[in-house]
Amino acid sequence: MNTGIQDALNLGWKLALGARGLASDELVDSYDAERRPVGQGILHFTDRVFKLASSRSGLLKLPRTKLLPAIAPKASGSKALRTRLLRTVSQLDTAYRGSDMVDTGAAGLPAFLTSGPKAGDRLPDAVVVDRGREMRLHDILATPGFHVLLCGRGWPADTQLRLHDALGRLSPWLSVQRLNVGSRLAETSPNEISDISGLAFERLGLSVRRPELLVVRPDGHIGFRSSGTDVAGAVDYLNRITTSAAVHQPA
């Protein structure tokens, strides 16, 4: 069930953009490249589990009859292990880091000093404040289209306008919002999300003093990530995956 839901979610937004002339051929074709390895991994995993559970071989029966009963009580008491198992079974850890439909821009720090999800990973969730209301970050970004998060301080006031102008025909399907660590007492603009607890910044591996940009795809995965306030990389990425072949054909 989880695999089928994620298959539909991965393909749905690509077909929707394609129907509007806003998808490259490579974007639509990427459904197979991104989801086939996931399906194959599930098949291999379930096949191994079935063989382990049903085998009459003495060697294979040993883990089932001796090791599992001894380990299970201790494993069930570990919150970290239960969380890991839940995220694996529910496929919340599924990532598309090797996909051509994700990219990484300029990095302000060496890779070994950075933390948080990479391009292709699912965006972590956290409770934040939007227009005075506590909401989950995933709920705020659940509307159709791409979401650009301008994180940290130092962003020019006209960044949102520049992004919409640069992306033109994609503008109706683009939401640009600021994400910053804030206070309930601080005044915020309609397009600013306040991370009161700091949990969103922590899970995203962000620093308030280091501006970073995240492009979140319609399926909730990070499509592009870069450091600094230059938006050229994000514009190039979005144009690359949403420019259909028909746009380049002469009239």
Side-chain angles (χ1 to χ4, degrees):
M1 181 189 70
N2 289 328
T3 306
I5 290 172
Q6 290 203 30
D7 282 346
L9 188 59
N10 183 284
L11 180 60
W13 68 274
K14 296 170 181 178
L15 291 180
L17 288 175
R20 292 169 172 80
L22 293 173
S24 65
D25 292 341
E26 291 76 14
L27 178 63
V28 177
D29 291 343
S30 71
Y31 163 71
D32 182 76
E34 290 186 345
R35 294 302 300 170
R36 183 181 291 272
V38 177
Q40 290 174 335
I42 293 295
L43 288 175
H44 292 158
F45 173 75
T46 53
D47 184 54
R48 289 195 297 267
V49 171
F50 177 78
K51 287 181 179 179
L52 182 63
S54 61
S55 175
R56 296 179 179 274
S57 166
L59 185 61
L60 292 179
K61 285 172 63 177
L62 180 63
R64 183 176 76 235
T65 58
K66 301 296 183 182
L67 296 181
L68 186 59
I71 296 174
K74 295 181 180 180
S76 62
S78 169
K79 181 179 179 181
L81 189 58
R82 291 200 311 270
T83 300
R84 178 65 178 174
L85 180 61
L86 173 63
R87 293 186 64 84
T88 300
V89 172
S90 62
Q91 298 186 39
L92 294 177
D93 280 341
T94 297
Y96 309 122
R97 289 189 183 184
S99 171
D100 291 337
M101 296 301 107
V102 304
D103 203 355
T104 301
L109 291 173
F112 69 91
L113 291 178
T114 61
S115 61
K118 305 296 188 288
D121 292 348
R122 186 172 184 267
L123 184 80
D125 197 14
V127 175
V128 293
V129 174
D130 179 40
R131 304 182 189 185
R133 297 180 301 164
E134 279 194 354
M135 298 184 65
R136 304 203 72 86
L137 184 59
H138 281 185
D139 291 336
I140 297 173
L141 306 185
T143 54
F146 293 94
H147 294 266
V148 177
L149 291 178
L150 309 176
C151 310
R153 300 171 183 164
W155 289 98
D158 66 342
T159 302
Q160 179 181 9
L161 181 61
R162 288 191 293 118
L163 279 166
H164 279 282
D165 286 345
L167 290 164
R169 63 199 182 91
L170 187 62
S171 185
W173 306 102
L174 182 70
S175 172
V176 183
Q177 293 169 292
R178 291 282 307 276
L179 175 64
N180 220 331
V181 175
S183 165
R184 291 184 181 277
L185 301 178
E187 293 186 5
T188 59
S189 69
N191 294 313
E192 185 166 349
I193 302 169
S194 296
D195 181 17
I196 305 299
S197 67
L199 185 59
F201 264 63
E202 177 184 336
R203 290 178 174 173
L204 286 165
L206 298 169
S207 168
V208 177
R209 296 182 296 275
R210 185 179 70 246
E212 292 197 40
L213 182 150
L214 300 176
V215 177
V216 184
R217 306 189 326 182
D219 60 359
H221 286 257
I222 298 171
F224 180 85
R225 180 167 186 165
S226 65
S227 297
T229 58
D230 186 359
V231 299
V235 171
D236 289 344
Y237 162 73
L238 287 167
N239 276 329
R240 174 173 66 85
I241 69 172
T242 63
T243 301
S244 67
V247 172
H248 301 293
Q249 293 176 359

Coordinates of all heavy atoms in Angstrom, one line a residue, residues 192-225:
E192 N 6.0 34.6 5.7 CA 7.0 34.2 6.6 C 6.6 33.1 7.6 O 5.5 33.2 8.2 CB 7.6 35.4 7.4 CG 8.8 35.0 8.3 CD 9.5 36.3 8.8 OE1 9.2 37.4 8.3 OE2 10.4 36.1 9.6
I193 N 7.4 32.0 7.7 CA 7.1 30.9 8.6 C 8.1 31.0 9.7 O 9.3 31.1 9.5 CB 7.2 29.6 7.9 CG1 6.3 29.5 6.7 CG2 7.0 28.4 8.8 CD1 6.6 28.3 5.8
S194 N 7.5 31.0 10.9 CA 8.4 31.2 12.1 C 8.6 29.8 12.8 O 7.7 29.1 13.1 CB 7.8 32.1 13.1 OG 7.7 33.4 12.6
D195 N 9.9 29.5 13.0 CA 10.2 28.2 13.7 C 10.5 28.6 15.1 O 11.6 28.8 15.5 CB 11.5 27.6 13.0 CG 11.9 26.3 13.7 OD1 11.1 25.7 14.4 OD2 13.1 25.9 13.5
I196 N 9.4 28.6 15.9 CA 9.5 29.1 17.3 C 10.4 28.2 18.1 O 11.2 28.6 18.9 CB 8.1 29.1 18.0 CG1 7.2 30.0 17.1 CG2 8.2 29.6 19.4 CD1 7.6 31.4 17.0
S197 N 10.3 26.9 18.0 CA 11.1 25.9 18.8 C 12.5 25.7 18.3 O 13.3 25.2 19.0 CB 10.3 24.6 18.8 OG 10.3 24.0 17.5
G198 N 12.7 26.0 17.0 CA 14.0 25.8 16.4 C 14.2 24.3 15.9 O 15.2 24.0 15.3
L199 N 13.1 23.5 16.0 CA 13.2 22.1 15.6 C 13.3 22.0 14.1 O 14.0 21.1 13.6 CB 11.9 21.4 16.2 CG 11.9 19.9 15.9 CD1 13.1 19.2 16.6 CD2 10.6 19.3 16.5
A200 N 12.6 22.8 13.4 CA 12.6 22.7 11.9 C 14.1 23.0 11.4 O 14.6 22.3 10.6 CB 11.6 23.7 11.3
F201 N 14.7 24.0 12.0 CA 16.1 24.4 11.6 C 17.0 23.2 12.0 O 17.9 22.9 11.2 CB 16.5 25.7 12.3 CG 16.3 26.9 11.4 CD1 15.1 27.3 11.0 CD2 17.4 27.6 11.0 CE1 14.9 28.4 10.2 CE2 17.3 28.7 10.2 CZ 16.0 29.1 9.8
E202 N 16.8 22.6 13.1 CA 17.6 21.5 13.6 C 17.5 20.3 12.6 O 18.5 19.8 12.2 CB 17.2 21.1 15.0 CG 18.0 19.9 15.5 CD 17.6 19.5 16.9 OE1 17.0 20.3 17.6 OE2 17.8 18.3 17.2
R203 N 16.3 20.0 12.3 CA 16.1 18.8 11.4 C 16.6 19.1 10.0 O 16.9 18.1 9.3 CB 14.6 18.4 11.4 CG 14.1 17.8 12.8 CD 12.7 17.5 12.8 NE 12.3 16.8 14.0 CZ 11.0 16.5 14.4 NH1 10.0 16.8 13.5 NH2 10.8 15.9 15.5
L204 N 16.5 20.3 9.6 CA 17.0 20.7 8.2 C 18.5 21.0 8.2 O 19.0 21.2 7.1 CB 16.2 21.9 7.7 CG 14.8 21.6 7.3 CD1 14.0 22.9 7.2 CD2 14.7 20.9 6.0
G205 N 19.1 21.0 9.3 CA 20.6 21.3 9.4 C 20.9 22.7 9.0 O 21.9 22.9 8.3
L206 N 20.0 23.6 9.4 CA 20.2 25.0 9.0 C 20.8 25.8 10.2 O 20.7 25.5 11.3 CB 18.8 25.6 8.7 CG 18.1 25.0 7.5 CD1 16.7 25.5 7.4 CD2 18.8 25.3 6.2
S207 N 21.3 27.0 9.8 CA 21.8 28.0 10.8 C 21.1 29.3 10.5 O 21.0 29.7 9.3 CB 23.3 28.1 10.7 OG 23.8 29.3 11.4
V208 N 20.7 30.0 11.5 CA 20.0 31.3 11.3 C 20.9 32.2 10.6 O 20.5 33.1 9.8 CB 19.6 31.8 12.7 CG1 18.9 33.2 12.5 CG2 18.6 30.9 13.4
R209 N 22.2 32.2 10.9 CA 23.2 33.1 10.3 C 23.6 32.8 8.9 O 24.3 33.5 8.3 CB 24.4 33.2 11.2 CG 24.1 33.8 12.6 CD 25.3 34.0 13.5 NE 25.9 32.7 13.8 CZ 25.5 31.9 14.8 NH1 24.5 32.3 15.6 NH2 26.1 30.7 15.0
R210 N 23.2 31.6 8.4 CA 23.7 31.2 7.1 C 22.5 31.0 6.2 O 21.7 30.0 6.3 CB 24.5 29.8 7.2 CG 25.1 29.4 5.9 CD 25.9 28.1 6.1 NE 25.0 26.9 6.3 CZ 25.0 26.2 7.4 NH1 25.7 26.6 8.4 NH2 24.2 25.2 7.6
P211 N 22.3 31.9 5.3 CA 21.1 31.7 4.4 C 21.2 30.5 3.5 O 22.3 30.3 2.9 CB 21.1 33.0 3.6 CG 22.5 33.5 3.6 CD 23.0 33.1 4.9
E212 N 20.1 29.8 3.3 CA 20.1 28.6 2.4 C 18.7 28.6 1.7 O 17.7 29.2 2.2 CB 20.3 27.3 3.2 CG 21.7 27.1 3.7 CD 22.0 25.7 4.1 OE1 21.6 24.8 3.3 OE2 22.6 25.5 5.1
L213 N 18.7 28.0 0.5 CA 17.5 28.0 -0.3 C 17.2 26.5 -0.5 O 18.0 25.7 -0.8 CB 17.7 28.7 -1.6 CG 16.5 28.7 -2.6 CD1 16.6 30.0 -3.4 CD2 16.5 27.5 -3.5
L214 N 15.9 26.2 -0.3 CA 15.4 24.8 -0.6 C 14.2 24.9 -1.5 O 13.3 25.7 -1.4 CB 14.9 24.2 0.7 CG 15.9 24.0 1.9 CD1 15.1 23.4 3.1 CD2 17.0 23.1 1.5
V215 N 14.3 24.1 -2.6 CA 13.1 24.0 -3.5 C 12.5 22.6 -3.1 O 13.1 21.6 -3.3 CB 13.5 24.0 -5.0 CG1 12.3 23.7 -5.9 CG2 14.2 25.3 -5.3
V216 N 11.2 22.6 -2.7 CA 10.5 21.4 -2.3 C 9.6 21.0 -3.5 O 8.8 21.8 -3.9 CB 9.7 21.6 -1.0 CG1 9.0 20.3 -0.6 CG2 10.6 22.1 0.1
R217 N 9.8 19.8 -4.0 CA 8.9 19.3 -5.1 C 7.5 19.1 -4.6 O 7.2 19.0 -3.4 CB 9.5 18.0 -5.6 CG 10.9 18.1 -6.0 CD 11.5 16.9 -6.8 NE 10.9 15.6 -6.5 CZ 11.3 14.5 -7.0 NH1 12.3 14.5 -8.0 NH2 10.8 13.3 -6.7
P218 N 6.5 19.0 -5.5 CA 5.1 18.7 -5.1 C 5.0 17.4 -4.3 O 3.9 17.3 -3.6 CB 4.4 18.7 -6.4 CG 5.2 19.6 -7.3 CD 6.6 19.3 -6.9
D219 N 5.9 16.5 -4.4 CA 5.8 15.2 -3.7 C 6.4 15.3 -2.3 O 6.5 14.3 -1.6 CB 6.3 14.0 -4.5 CG 7.8 14.2 -4.8 OD1 8.4 15.2 -4.5 OD2 8.4 13.3 -5.5
G220 N 6.9 16.5 -1.9 CA 7.5 16.6 -0.6 C 8.9 16.3 -0.5 O 9.5 16.4 0.6
H221 N 9.6 16.0 -1.6 CA 11.0 15.8 -1.6 C 11.8 17.1 -2.0 O 11.3 17.9 -2.7 CB 11.4 14.6 -2.5 CG 11.0 13.3 -2.0 ND1 11.9 12.4 -1.5 CD2 9.8 12.7 -1.9 CE1 11.3 11.3 -1.1 NE2 10.0 11.4 -1.3
I222 N 13.0 17.2 -1.4 CA 13.8 18.4 -1.7 C 14.4 18.2 -3.1 O 15.1 17.2 -3.4 CB 14.9 18.5 -0.7 CG1 14.3 18.8 0.7 CG2 15.8 19.7 -1.1 CD1 15.4 18.7 1.8
G223 N 14.0 19.1 -4.0 CA 14.5 19.0 -5.4 C 15.8 19.7 -5.6 O 16.6 19.3 -6.4
F224 N 16.0 20.8 -4.8 CA 17.2 21.6 -5.0 C 17.6 22.2 -3.6 O 16.7 22.6 -2.9 CB 17.0 22.7 -6.0 CG 18.2 23.6 -6.3 CD1 19.2 23.2 -7.2 CD2 18.3 24.8 -5.6 CE1 20.3 24.1 -7.4 CE2 19.4 25.6 -5.8 CZ 20.4 25.3 -6.7
R225 N 18.9 22.3 -3.4 CA 19.4 22.9 -2.1 C 20.7 23.7 -2.4 O 21.5 23.2 -3.1 CB 19.6 21.9 -1.0 CG 20.1 22.5 0.3 CD 20.0 21.5 1.4 NE 20.3 22.2 2.7 CZ 20.1 21.8 3.9 NH1 19.5 20.6 4.1 NH2 20.4 22.5 5.0

